[in-house]
Each structure stands twice: as structure tokens, then as C-alpha cells.
Amino acid sequence: MAEPVKSGLMQATEIARQSDLRQSSNGVHYTAFGENNLESADLARIVQAVPASIASSLGRKAYYFVPLTLMDKPLDLDAPLPISPRSEDSDDPMIATTYTAELSDRAICHRDVRLAGRAGTAHEAGIDGVFISTRLLGDRFALAFEFFINVSHAFVDIAGIPKPFSDLVWEQAVADVRGETSRDAWESRELSKARNVKADARTPIDEKARNEYIEAAFSDAIAIYQLSLAIDFEYAELRERDYPLLAPKALADRLRMVAKLFPPNSGYEFAIRYKRRG
């Protein structure tokens, strides 16, 4: 691994040029760079949790786990970052190879960067790099979920949505099942007018919102499923203030379908465990 420059700031393309990408046994390409406080075994466990049937669609993706990925422009315009003019190009963001509180205020969870290919490799035609801020996310749970959300959206963009899952999610929406799995899913479900269909079959459905809702729900389900394979967590940890979480049984039905579509890799187990009351 190359040594970070003394200033602690490098352009994403330079980090990609200097880094040696690893390929996990499931086919996912990734690397860690800089002072990111990641244990290699923990990171490998997270990356390998991506089911091979999903990873096979990510051949043009590479994941770079770095301390901080910076926004296009500093939040405080009176205190510009000490960077070169070229770094203002949104296609080549700056990466902080070490953590500071000041730089964390100017960071974002991840950035997508189009990277040039390397002659004589499987990526001669170029790859799509995803630079994930490990130090901004704070803990293993948040880091894993950020990675899996990125993986799930990339996969859905390529593979689409299976009809059985689409039917299941829409049935739940029409039945007005409580809550959702993300703000995007919640808002698009509300816009689709699904809750009115049960009372009046003549209610017009907003098809654009309906499609956006099902896509968001599928991406969320894949991400939560992968998270359940990689680490133990309580469902309540996914709670946000803006909307209620999807009812546990409804989520379990979605996850079981996803697990059937994309079986876990060897060494990983999918299980849903409910807490016993009293």
C-alpha cells in the first residue's frame, strides 16, 4: 500500500492509481487506504457477505475504504481547503488520508468516481469507484450498512426487480402495513396512494411513485439482508425519526424472499430471531 502524502489530502484518482485492489472470494473488488482504523479481518468479513449471485453483477465496481471523502466545496467558504484547482472537479474529489475534526465537517458518507482502466487487467475499460468514509461513519454497523446500501442500489440498477418481490411489497402497501425501511420508500409509498386502493378500487395509482417505492423497498431489503449476514444487530438500530419502521413480520417476509433469491455464501447464515416478551 502506498504511503499517504504529508498534507493528508489526495485526489481520489491518485489513490486509485496507487492502490492495489483485492478481490474477495465472492468477486467484489475493494481496498483500504489511509488511517481508517479498520481491522482487515472485519472488513473482509463485511465484503465477503455480499452473496455471489449479487456480486457477479458488480464487476465494474470497486470499493475504496478511506478515512474521509470530502465534499466538492468546503462548508466554510472563508476557510478553503489547501487543494489544487483540479480537485474542485466533482469527478475527482479530495480524500483525507487521516482524520481530523475539521475535515470530518467537510466530509460525505461516500462518493462515486469514474476511474480510468489499467492495461493488462480485467478493468482495462475503466471502473466505477465508490469511496466510502470509514471515519465519518463511526462504527462497524454504520460502515457495513453504508457499504451494503451502495451494493444494493448498484445491483438493482443492473438486475431490476423480481416480480414476486414487487407483488409482495405492493400487497403490503395496499394493506397499509405499518412503517417502511427508509425515507425514500416511505415517501414514495405515500405518493403512490396505495393506502386508498383498499378502500376504493377506483383510486388512481401514481405509477411513477409506485415504481420508485418498490425499487427503494427492494434495495433496502437487499441491504438489510446483507447486514444480517455480516453482523448481529437489533432491528430497532435502523430507526430514523422521519418515519416509523416497517412492521417486523412484513420485513421478515421481504427478507425471506430475498434470501431465497440470493442464498448466503459459505460461512454465512441467514436467520430471523424475534425477542421473547417477559
Side-chain angles (χ1 to χ4, degrees), residues 76-125:
D76 181 2
L77 297 180
D78 294 328
L81 292 171
I83 55 180
S84 66
R86 179 169 171 257
S87 65
E88 294 179 1
D89 183 351
S90 61
D91 292 332
D92 195 5
M94 295 301 294
I95 306 297
T97 60
T98 59
Y99 174 87
T100 69
E102 179 187 9
L103 290 177
S104 71
D105 290 337
R106 301 172 176 182
I108 194 168
C109 290
H110 80 275
R111 289 286 300 275
D112 297 326
V113 182
R114 181 64 180 168
L115 301 171
R118 296 184 183 181
T121 71
H123 294 136
E124 284 190 88

Short mmCIF file of all heavy atoms in Angstrom, two decimals, residues 76-125:
data_model
loop_
_atom_site.label_atom_id
_atom_site.label_comp_id
_atom_site.label_asym_id
_atom_site.label_seq_id
_atom_site.Cartn_x
_atom_site.Cartn_y
_atom_site.Cartn_z
N ASP A 76 -17.29 26.12 4.93
CA ASP A 76 -16.92 27.48 5.28
C ASP A 76 -16.12 28.08 4.13
O ASP A 76 -14.95 27.76 3.95
CB ASP A 76 -16.09 27.48 6.57
CG ASP A 76 -15.69 28.89 7.00
OD1 ASP A 76 -16.09 29.85 6.31
OD2 ASP A 76 -14.98 29.00 8.01
N LEU A 77 -16.75 28.94 3.37
CA LEU A 77 -16.09 29.48 2.19
C LEU A 77 -14.92 30.38 2.55
O LEU A 77 -14.08 30.69 1.71
CB LEU A 77 -17.11 30.24 1.33
CG LEU A 77 -18.25 29.38 0.77
CD1 LEU A 77 -19.19 30.25 -0.06
CD2 LEU A 77 -17.70 28.24 -0.07
N ASP A 78 -14.86 30.84 3.79
CA ASP A 78 -13.75 31.67 4.23
C ASP A 78 -12.54 30.84 4.63
O ASP A 78 -11.48 31.37 4.94
CB ASP A 78 -14.17 32.53 5.42
CG ASP A 78 -15.22 33.55 5.03
OD1 ASP A 78 -15.18 34.01 3.87
OD2 ASP A 78 -16.07 33.86 5.87
N ALA A 79 -12.71 29.52 4.66
CA ALA A 79 -11.60 28.64 5.05
C ALA A 79 -11.46 27.52 4.02
O ALA A 79 -11.79 26.37 4.29
CB ALA A 79 -11.85 28.06 6.44
N PRO A 80 -11.03 27.87 2.80
CA PRO A 80 -10.92 26.87 1.75
C PRO A 80 -9.88 25.80 2.07
O PRO A 80 -8.91 26.05 2.78
CB PRO A 80 -10.50 27.68 0.52
CG PRO A 80 -9.81 28.88 1.10
CD PRO A 80 -10.54 29.19 2.37
N LEU A 81 -10.11 24.62 1.57
CA LEU A 81 -9.16 23.52 1.77
C LEU A 81 -7.88 23.79 0.98
O LEU A 81 -7.92 24.36 -0.11
CB LEU A 81 -9.78 22.21 1.30
CG LEU A 81 -10.95 21.69 2.13
CD1 LEU A 81 -11.59 20.52 1.42
CD2 LEU A 81 -10.49 21.28 3.51
N PRO A 82 -6.74 23.37 1.48
CA PRO A 82 -5.47 23.55 0.76
C PRO A 82 -5.33 22.51 -0.34
O PRO A 82 -4.61 21.53 -0.22
CB PRO A 82 -4.43 23.32 1.87
CG PRO A 82 -5.10 22.36 2.80
CD PRO A 82 -6.56 22.73 2.79
N ILE A 83 -6.06 22.74 -1.43
CA ILE A 83 -6.08 21.77 -2.51
C ILE A 83 -5.78 22.46 -3.84
O ILE A 83 -5.85 23.67 -3.96
CB ILE A 83 -7.43 21.03 -2.60
CG1 ILE A 83 -8.57 22.05 -2.73
CG2 ILE A 83 -7.66 20.20 -1.35
CD1 ILE A 83 -9.94 21.41 -2.81
N SER A 84 -5.47 21.63 -4.81
CA SER A 84 -5.14 22.17 -6.13
C SER A 84 -6.41 22.52 -6.88
O SER A 84 -7.48 22.00 -6.60
CB SER A 84 -4.35 21.12 -6.91
OG SER A 84 -5.17 20.01 -7.20
N PRO A 85 -6.33 23.40 -7.90
CA PRO A 85 -7.52 23.78 -8.66
C PRO A 85 -8.24 22.57 -9.27
O PRO A 85 -9.45 22.53 -9.32
CB PRO A 85 -6.97 24.71 -9.74
CG PRO A 85 -5.71 25.26 -9.14
CD PRO A 85 -5.15 24.15 -8.31
N ARG A 86 -7.46 21.58 -9.71
CA ARG A 86 -8.07 20.43 -10.37
C ARG A 86 -8.99 19.66 -9.42
O ARG A 86 -9.95 19.04 -9.84
CB ARG A 86 -6.97 19.50 -10.89
CG ARG A 86 -7.51 18.24 -11.57
CD ARG A 86 -6.40 17.50 -12.29
NE ARG A 86 -6.87 16.21 -12.74
CZ ARG A 86 -6.58 15.06 -12.15
NH1 ARG A 86 -5.82 15.05 -11.08
NH2 ARG A 86 -7.03 13.92 -12.63
N SER A 87 -8.73 19.71 -8.12
CA SER A 87 -9.51 18.94 -7.17
C SER A 87 -10.93 19.45 -7.01
O SER A 87 -11.77 18.79 -6.42
CB SER A 87 -8.83 18.94 -5.80
OG SER A 87 -8.81 20.26 -5.28
N GLU A 88 -11.21 20.64 -7.54
CA GLU A 88 -12.57 21.16 -7.47
C GLU A 88 -13.47 20.46 -8.48
O GLU A 88 -14.69 20.59 -8.44
CB GLU A 88 -12.58 22.67 -7.73
CG GLU A 88 -11.88 23.45 -6.62
CD GLU A 88 -11.88 24.92 -6.90
OE1 GLU A 88 -12.45 25.32 -7.93
OE2 GLU A 88 -11.32 25.68 -6.09
N ASP A 89 -12.89 19.69 -9.38
CA ASP A 89 -13.67 18.92 -10.34
C ASP A 89 -14.43 17.85 -9.58
O ASP A 89 -13.86 17.03 -8.87
CB ASP A 89 -12.71 18.28 -11.36
CG ASP A 89 -13.46 17.52 -12.44
OD1 ASP A 89 -14.68 17.35 -12.30
OD2 ASP A 89 -12.80 17.12 -13.41
N SER A 90 -15.76 17.84 -9.69
CA SER A 90 -16.59 16.90 -8.94
C SER A 90 -16.32 15.46 -9.32
O SER A 90 -16.71 14.54 -8.60
CB SER A 90 -18.08 17.22 -9.15
OG SER A 90 -18.43 17.08 -10.52
N ASP A 91 -15.67 15.22 -10.46
CA ASP A 91 -15.35 13.87 -10.88
C ASP A 91 -14.10 13.33 -10.20
O ASP A 91 -13.76 12.17 -10.36
CB ASP A 91 -15.17 13.80 -12.41
CG ASP A 91 -16.48 14.06 -13.14
OD1 ASP A 91 -17.53 13.76 -12.56
OD2 ASP A 91 -16.43 14.56 -14.27
N ASP A 92 -13.40 14.19 -9.46
CA ASP A 92 -12.15 13.77 -8.81
C ASP A 92 -12.06 14.41 -7.43
O ASP A 92 -11.27 15.33 -7.20
CB ASP A 92 -10.96 14.15 -9.68
CG ASP A 92 -9.68 13.45 -9.26
OD1 ASP A 92 -9.75 12.59 -8.35
OD2 ASP A 92 -8.62 13.74 -9.81
N PRO A 93 -12.88 13.96 -6.48
CA PRO A 93 -12.90 14.60 -5.16
C PRO A 93 -11.62 14.37 -4.38
O PRO A 93 -10.84 13.47 -4.68
CB PRO A 93 -14.08 13.90 -4.48
CG PRO A 93 -14.15 12.56 -5.12
CD PRO A 93 -13.79 12.80 -6.55
N MET A 94 -11.45 15.18 -3.34
CA MET A 94 -10.32 15.02 -2.45
C MET A 94 -10.64 14.00 -1.37
O MET A 94 -11.77 13.90 -0.90
CB MET A 94 -9.95 16.35 -1.80
CG MET A 94 -9.46 17.40 -2.78
SD MET A 94 -7.99 16.89 -3.71
CE MET A 94 -6.77 16.79 -2.41
N ILE A 95 -9.62 13.24 -0.98
CA ILE A 95 -9.73 12.24 0.07
C ILE A 95 -8.77 12.62 1.19
O ILE A 95 -7.60 12.91 0.93
CB ILE A 95 -9.37 10.83 -0.45
CG1 ILE A 95 -10.22 10.48 -1.68
CG2 ILE A 95 -9.53 9.79 0.66
CD1 ILE A 95 -11.70 10.40 -1.43
N ALA A 96 -9.26 12.62 2.42
CA ALA A 96 -8.38 12.83 3.57
C ALA A 96 -7.86 11.47 4.02
O ALA A 96 -8.64 10.57 4.34
CB ALA A 96 -9.15 13.50 4.70
N THR A 97 -6.54 11.31 4.00
CA THR A 97 -5.95 10.02 4.36
C THR A 97 -5.76 9.86 5.86
O THR A 97 -5.37 8.79 6.34
CB THR A 97 -4.60 9.84 3.66
OG1 THR A 97 -3.71 10.88 4.07
CG2 THR A 97 -4.78 9.88 2.14
N THR A 98 -6.01 10.94 6.60
CA THR A 98 -6.02 10.89 8.06
C THR A 98 -7.28 11.60 8.54
O THR A 98 -7.90 12.38 7.79
CB THR A 98 -4.78 11.58 8.67
OG1 THR A 98 -4.77 12.95 8.24
CG2 THR A 98 -3.50 10.90 8.23
N TYR A 99 -7.65 11.40 9.79
CA TYR A 99 -8.86 12.01 10.33
C TYR A 99 -8.54 13.27 11.12
O TYR A 99 -7.62 13.29 11.93
CB TYR A 99 -9.58 11.02 11.25
CG TYR A 99 -10.78 11.63 11.95
CD1 TYR A 99 -12.03 11.64 11.35
CD2 TYR A 99 -10.64 12.22 13.21
CE1 TYR A 99 -13.11 12.21 11.98
CE2 TYR A 99 -11.72 12.81 13.85
CZ TYR A 99 -12.96 12.79 13.23
OH TYR A 99 -14.04 13.36 13.85
N THR A 100 -9.32 14.33 10.87
CA THR A 100 -9.33 15.50 11.75
C THR A 100 -10.77 15.94 11.90
O THR A 100 -11.61 15.71 11.00
CB THR A 100 -8.51 16.68 11.18
OG1 THR A 100 -9.18 17.22 10.03
CG2 THR A 100 -7.09 16.26 10.82
N ALA A 101 -11.10 16.57 13.02
CA ALA A 101 -12.47 17.02 13.26
C ALA A 101 -12.89 18.05 12.22
O ALA A 101 -14.03 18.06 11.75
CB ALA A 101 -12.59 17.61 14.67
N GLU A 102 -11.94 18.94 11.83
CA GLU A 102 -12.26 19.96 10.83
C GLU A 102 -12.64 19.33 9.49
O GLU A 102 -13.64 19.70 8.87
CB GLU A 102 -11.07 20.90 10.63
CG GLU A 102 -11.34 21.98 9.59
CD GLU A 102 -10.11 22.81 9.26
OE1 GLU A 102 -9.02 22.43 9.71
OE2 GLU A 102 -10.26 23.79 8.53
N LEU A 103 -11.85 18.34 9.07
CA LEU A 103 -12.14 17.71 7.78
C LEU A 103 -13.40 16.86 7.84
O LEU A 103 -14.11 16.71 6.84
CB LEU A 103 -10.95 16.86 7.34
CG LEU A 103 -9.71 17.64 6.92
CD1 LEU A 103 -8.56 16.68 6.58
CD2 LEU A 103 -10.00 18.55 5.73
N SER A 104 -13.71 16.30 9.01
CA SER A 104 -14.93 15.49 9.11
C SER A 104 -16.17 16.33 8.88
O SER A 104 -17.19 15.84 8.37
CB SER A 104 -15.01 14.80 10.48
OG SER A 104 -15.27 15.73 11.51
N ASP A 105 -16.09 17.64 9.23
CA ASP A 105 -17.22 18.54 8.98
C ASP A 105 -17.42 18.80 7.50
O ASP A 105 -18.47 19.31 7.08
CB ASP A 105 -17.00 19.87 9.70
CG ASP A 105 -17.12 19.74 11.21
OD1 ASP A 105 -17.77 18.79 11.68
OD2 ASP A 105 -16.55 20.60 11.93
N ARG A 106 -16.41 18.49 6.70
CA ARG A 106 -16.46 18.74 5.27
C ARG A 106 -16.56 17.44 4.46
O ARG A 106 -16.36 17.43 3.26
CB ARG A 106 -15.21 19.51 4.84
CG ARG A 106 -15.08 20.84 5.56
CD ARG A 106 -13.76 21.50 5.29
NE ARG A 106 -13.70 22.82 5.91
CZ ARG A 106 -12.66 23.64 5.80
NH1 ARG A 106 -11.61 23.28 5.11
NH2 ARG A 106 -12.69 24.81 6.39
N ALA A 107 -16.88 16.36 5.15
CA ALA A 107 -16.89 15.04 4.51
C ALA A 107 -18.31 14.58 4.21
O ALA A 107 -19.30 15.11 4.73
CB ALA A 107 -16.18 14.02 5.40
N ILE A 108 -18.40 13.57 3.38
CA ILE A 108 -19.66 12.96 3.00
C ILE A 108 -19.49 11.45 3.10
O ILE A 108 -18.37 10.94 3.07
CB ILE A 108 -20.04 13.38 1.55
CG1 ILE A 108 -21.49 13.04 1.24
CG2 ILE A 108 -19.08 12.80 0.52
CD1 ILE A 108 -21.99 13.70 -0.05
N CYS A 109 -20.60 10.73 3.26
CA CYS A 109 -20.50 9.28 3.51
C CYS A 109 -19.81 8.53 2.37
O CYS A 109 -19.00 7.63 2.61
CB CYS A 109 -21.90 8.69 3.73
SG CYS A 109 -22.65 9.20 5.28
N HIS A 110 -20.10 8.91 1.13
CA HIS A 110 -19.44 8.24 0.01
C HIS A 110 -19.52 9.12 -1.23
O HIS A 110 -20.35 10.02 -1.30
CB HIS A 110 -20.08 6.87 -0.28
CG HIS A 110 -21.35 6.96 -1.08
ND1 HIS A 110 -22.58 7.20 -0.50
CD2 HIS A 110 -21.58 6.86 -2.43
CE1 HIS A 110 -23.50 7.24 -1.44
NE2 HIS A 110 -22.93 7.05 -2.61
N ARG A 111 -18.65 8.83 -2.18
CA ARG A 111 -18.68 9.48 -3.49
C ARG A 111 -18.40 8.45 -4.56
O ARG A 111 -17.56 7.56 -4.39
CB ARG A 111 -17.60 10.58 -3.58
CG ARG A 111 -17.87 11.80 -2.74
CD ARG A 111 -18.95 12.68 -3.32
NE ARG A 111 -18.61 13.15 -4.65
CZ ARG A 111 -17.88 14.24 -4.89
NH1 ARG A 111 -17.37 14.95 -3.88
NH2 ARG A 111 -17.62 14.63 -6.12
N ASP A 112 -19.11 8.57 -5.67
CA ASP A 112 -18.87 7.71 -6.83
C ASP A 112 -17.93 8.44 -7.79
O ASP A 112 -18.14 9.61 -8.10
CB ASP A 112 -20.18 7.40 -7.56
CG ASP A 112 -21.16 6.61 -6.70
OD1 ASP A 112 -20.68 5.78 -5.89
OD2 ASP A 112 -22.37 6.83 -6.82
N VAL A 113 -16.91 7.74 -8.25
CA VAL A 113 -15.89 8.34 -9.11
C VAL A 113 -15.61 7.41 -10.29
O VAL A 113 -15.33 6.22 -10.09
CB VAL A 113 -14.58 8.60 -8.35
CG1 VAL A 113 -13.54 9.27 -9.25
CG2 VAL A 113 -14.83 9.44 -7.10
N ARG A 114 -15.69 7.94 -11.48
CA ARG A 114 -15.35 7.16 -12.67
C ARG A 114 -13.83 7.11 -12.79
O ARG A 114 -13.16 8.15 -12.83
CB ARG A 114 -15.96 7.79 -13.92
CG ARG A 114 -15.68 7.04 -15.21
CD ARG A 114 -16.30 5.67 -15.20
NE ARG A 114 -16.02 4.96 -16.44
CZ ARG A 114 -16.24 3.66 -16.61
NH1 ARG A 114 -16.74 2.95 -15.63
NH2 ARG A 114 -15.96 3.08 -17.75
N LEU A 115 -13.27 5.91 -12.85
CA LEU A 115 -11.82 5.73 -12.86
C LEU A 115 -11.36 5.12 -14.18
O LEU A 115 -12.04 4.28 -14.77
CB LEU A 115 -11.40 4.82 -11.70
CG LEU A 115 -11.77 5.31 -10.30
CD1 LEU A 115 -11.50 4.22 -9.27
CD2 LEU A 115 -11.00 6.59 -9.95
N ALA A 116 -10.18 5.55 -14.62
CA ALA A 116 -9.61 5.02 -15.86
C ALA A 116 -9.20 3.56 -15.66
O ALA A 116 -8.91 3.12 -14.54
CB ALA A 116 -8.40 5.86 -16.26
N GLY A 117 -9.17 2.82 -16.76
CA GLY A 117 -8.78 1.42 -16.69
C GLY A 117 -7.27 1.24 -16.61
O GLY A 117 -6.51 2.19 -16.77
N ARG A 118 -6.87 0.02 -16.33
CA ARG A 118 -5.46 -0.33 -16.27
C ARG A 118 -5.16 -1.38 -17.32
O ARG A 118 -5.82 -2.42 -17.38
CB ARG A 118 -5.09 -0.87 -14.89
CG ARG A 118 -5.25 0.13 -13.76
CD ARG A 118 -4.78 -0.46 -12.45
NE ARG A 118 -4.99 0.45 -11.34
CZ ARG A 118 -4.64 0.18 -10.08
NH1 ARG A 118 -4.08 -0.99 -9.79
NH2 ARG A 118 -4.86 1.05 -9.12
N ALA A 119 -4.19 -1.12 -18.16
CA ALA A 119 -3.83 -2.06 -19.22
C ALA A 119 -3.40 -3.39 -18.63
O ALA A 119 -2.72 -3.45 -17.60
CB ALA A 119 -2.71 -1.47 -20.08
N GLY A 120 -3.82 -4.46 -19.28
CA GLY A 120 -3.42 -5.79 -18.85
C GLY A 120 -4.19 -6.34 -17.67
O GLY A 120 -3.82 -7.37 -17.12
N THR A 121 -5.28 -5.64 -17.27
CA THR A 121 -6.10 -6.12 -16.16
C THR A 121 -7.53 -6.33 -16.63
O THR A 121 -7.89 -5.99 -17.76
CB THR A 121 -6.11 -5.11 -14.99
OG1 THR A 121 -6.89 -3.96 -15.37
CG2 THR A 121 -4.72 -4.68 -14.62
N ALA A 122 -8.33 -6.88 -15.75
CA ALA A 122 -9.74 -7.11 -16.08
C ALA A 122 -10.52 -5.80 -16.18
O ALA A 122 -11.65 -5.78 -16.64
CB ALA A 122 -10.38 -8.02 -15.04
N HIS A 123 -9.89 -4.69 -15.76
CA HIS A 123 -10.56 -3.40 -15.75
C HIS A 123 -9.97 -2.44 -16.79
O HIS A 123 -9.89 -1.23 -16.56
CB HIS A 123 -10.47 -2.77 -14.36
CG HIS A 123 -11.22 -3.52 -13.31
ND1 HIS A 123 -10.70 -3.77 -12.06
CD2 HIS A 123 -12.43 -4.12 -13.34
CE1 HIS A 123 -11.58 -4.46 -11.35
NE2 HIS A 123 -12.63 -4.69 -12.11
N GLU A 124 -9.56 -2.98 -17.92
CA GLU A 124 -8.96 -2.11 -18.94
C GLU A 124 -9.92 -1.03 -19.41
O GLU A 124 -9.51 0.08 -19.76
CB GLU A 124 -8.51 -2.96 -20.13
CG GLU A 124 -7.23 -3.73 -19.89
CD GLU A 124 -6.70 -4.35 -21.17
OE1 GLU A 124 -5.94 -3.69 -21.89
OE2 GLU A 124 -7.06 -5.52 -21.42
N ALA A 125 -11.23 -1.34 -19.42
CA ALA A 125 -12.21 -0.39 -19.93
C ALA A 125 -12.61 0.65 -18.88
O ALA A 125 -13.42 1.53 -19.16
CB ALA A 125 -13.47 -1.13 -20.39
#
